[in-house]
Amino acid sequence: MNIISLPPKVTAAPRGTHSGCTEVTLGRSTPNTITLTLLHMTRFTLSISAIALALTALVPATAQTATAGPQLCEPADGTGNATAQAPAGNTRADEALYKLPDPLRNIGLLKNQEPPYPCASLCTRNPMNEGAYLWAPKGAKLRYTTLNNESGTWTVPGEPDYDGTRGAEVVVQYLTPGVYEFPTLTMADGRTYQAPGKVKIGGRAEISHADTREWLTTYALGQFPFDQDGGWLGGTNNRQIKGVGNFYMHGVEEGFLDGVNVYLPSLPTRWEEGAKIRVRVWMSMITEDALLFTYLPLDGDYIAFEDIIADGGEEWVPVKGGAVMKLKLSSPIDLYGKQYLFIDVDSFGEDMSKEDFRLLMDVQPNISMEIEDYSNLLSHNSFVRFGNEQDYLRPVNIFGGGFSSFMICPVFRSGEYVGIDGIAADEGNFTVEREGQLLILGSTTPCTATLYGMDGRRVAQLRVDGRAEYDASGLPHGIYLLRSSAGKTVKLAL
């Protein structure tokens, strides 16, 4: 019998396999009584307020049954096996000298109340992320801090104005979209250090709550089955769980949500005729005394089991033998004023003999949490809902899932577009000129151009074969986004 080697505080004892996953046991602890503490957050200002709620009194006994233990999947080739090696130039690669910016997950644990506030998101290993570990919009300010409060000299790739900056920290404002190595820190005694990984600024990125730097150290992907043939946490189950979802905070002030990719450990093998899974994006609301995850639905759709895409095709999936459901939005969701999003997955069944749907999870997140932080609802990332409820107020921790998070992954696009106001704009082979209220579009290859309002509403659609014109005189004044079918975008004011 092969034993999987896991980091300290995690024990592994393979007890069986299922759909290419190996069953392991991870250490977890759940307090007997949990009080929810709400974190009130306005923009990036963090302040604490609280309401008391006896959570365990609300959870039916059947739902409190422990899981049988997570089942670990195998990472896709070239996406999870590679150890995050420190750059070769490090004089002591085993000794980190500075701390990377805090990512936007477990946001109830973020204690920074002075700018720059956390604004970076964790990237998946999707090729669209270009190998980055963190993603942040153009203009974001990221803070790098020495671990021992000792001053050194910072060199920041991509931002030459910061080369030679001295101090115990450096706050970098990335003004040019691109993918960059992390800073190099040189100490007075000659030691140098550059954190492994990259940061992506702007563009499109698929994010998650998984720290995907190193397999079996910072994350591991798998699934959580319940014992006693109870189904899965995050899928078909007989434990009264009717929906699951992830809570996201993002640092995008001008940008869009292009879609959502939901990953599965394997392609379902059985379902009832006509069965579909629903994926929705909600605008969440946090007030002084309430947290409403399902405040306002922004978009969503039902995805038929037949339309779930298996590994091996053109679509990327993070584990071997896995699958993906793709939520295609009716139009991009404008993220302005929507700092908090909740994305849920529901409509799965409860009879395991007829259905075997389940979601992929990060079953080994590198999260440590003090016992008093357990009670902070926003210290958790993934939540469940029972059939008679509207909101998702129970973390997966209550059901034996520890601090695991579902691989429900939004695709964000920040707003660094070419703006036009009486001048020409050139976005690759897609050009826009303006003569008064007349828009003149050009493209070296035939394409379709769609004009969106900032509320995400589609205003017009044009076929551009060399040249096309659009009279915008009848439109209300405001900001609009013009996007070609090839993905080129131009932001304009009318």
Side-chain angles (χ1 to χ4, degrees), residues 104-170:
L104 290 172
R105 67 165 177 172
N106 301 90
I107 62 177
L109 301 180
L110 299 179
K111 309 301 183 183
N112 183 28
Q113 299 194 32
E114 297 180 358
Y117 304 113
C119 60
S121 299
L122 288 167
C123 291
T124 67
R125 288 184 174 265
N126 191 314
M128 79 166 66
N129 294 329
E130 303 177 75
Y133 157 60
L134 294 176
W135 175 80
K138 172 187 171 183
K141 294 181 179 180
L142 276 64
R143 186 199 307 268
Y144 302 91
T145 307
T146 60
L147 296 181
N148 57 4
N149 202 33
E150 180 183 356
S151 292
T153 301
W154 302 84
T155 300
V156 183
E159 295 296 330
D161 290 345
Y162 292 89
D163 290 355
T165 300
R166 288 196 56 80
E169 70 172 26
V170 61

Side-chain angles (χ1 to χ4, degrees), residues 10-34:
V10 182
T11 60
R15 297 186 296 177
T17 59
H18 181 79
S19 301
C21 298
T22 302
E23 186 173 351
V24 301
T25 300
L26 304 185
R28 58 180 179 268
S29 175
T30 303
N32 293 328
T33 302
I34 292 184

